Amino acid sequence: MLYVVTGPPAAGKSSWIQARARPTDIVIDLDRITVALSGPGAPQWNQDKLLVAVAQRARFAAIDEAVKHREETDVYLIHTMPSGKALARYERLGARVVAVDPGREVVMQRIRDMRAEGMVAVATRWYRHQGKAGVPTVDRQSSRSW
């Protein structure tokens, strides 16, 4: 099964996956890929433009390969704000799309506490986009105690 996990920055998407995925499942998370490609001592949420560009290419390749194996193992894909075209592709692949959202106030506080200031704009865009996205499943509970 392919699970596409959406939600604003700091919503708990990775934690939602951590609570469900088995060690043999495939997890595609741009943050984790970026850290894996970063040098020693890089921050957990490394937003260096060059590293993110390389990580994006690696993510696309990982998605293309992983979806071939979704019948054999679960594939968890974090896609913060999928476009209509991406959602249509995921639908064709039989994906379950899940929006993780503990609520705008919680998200904004987490961003202030843990993330780069620019993530506020991304979260604001996610909340503006959410009503138009047509994502069928919403998990509004907090994924963990922050």
Side-chain angles (χ1 to χ4, degrees), residues 25-45:
D25 289 339
I26 298 167
V27 177
I28 303 171
D29 177 344
L30 184 61
D31 290 339
R32 288 173 57 180
I33 294 169
T34 303
V35 169
L37 296 172
S38 299
Q44 184 177 358
W45 292 286

Side-chain angles (χ1 to χ4, degrees), residues 6-97:
T6 71
K13 298 179 296 291
S14 297
S15 297
W16 188 91
I17 292 170
Q18 183 73 26
R20 289 157 179 82
R22 299 176 308 242
T24 56
D25 289 339
I26 298 167
V27 177
I28 303 171
D29 177 344
L30 184 61
D31 290 339
R32 288 173 57 180
I33 294 169
T34 303
V35 169
L37 296 172
S38 299
Q44 184 177 358
W45 292 286
N46 192 345
Q47 297 298 315
D48 179 83
K49 289 183 187 220
L50 179 59
L51 280 167
V52 171
V54 172
Q56 281 280 16
R57 296 294 300 259
R59 178 181 172 272
F60 292 139
I63 292 168
D64 288 344
E65 184 60 29
V67 297
K68 296 175 187 174
H69 305 286
R70 68 190 185 283
E71 301 297 326
E72 304 159 47
T73 191
D74 287 337
V75 176
Y76 293 86
L77 167 61
I78 293 179
H79 195 155
T80 297
M81 200 166 11
S83 66
K85 182 178 178 180
L87 285 170
R89 178 182 184 212
Y90 299 146
E91 185 178 328
R92 285 191 307 275
L93 292 169
R96 176 174 174 220
V97 181

Side-chain angles (χ1 to χ4, degrees), residues 125-135:
R125 198 166 51 248
W126 187 86
Y127 282 106
R128 193 175 319 123
H129 179 262
Q130 183 58 19
K132 303 170 191 170
V135 175

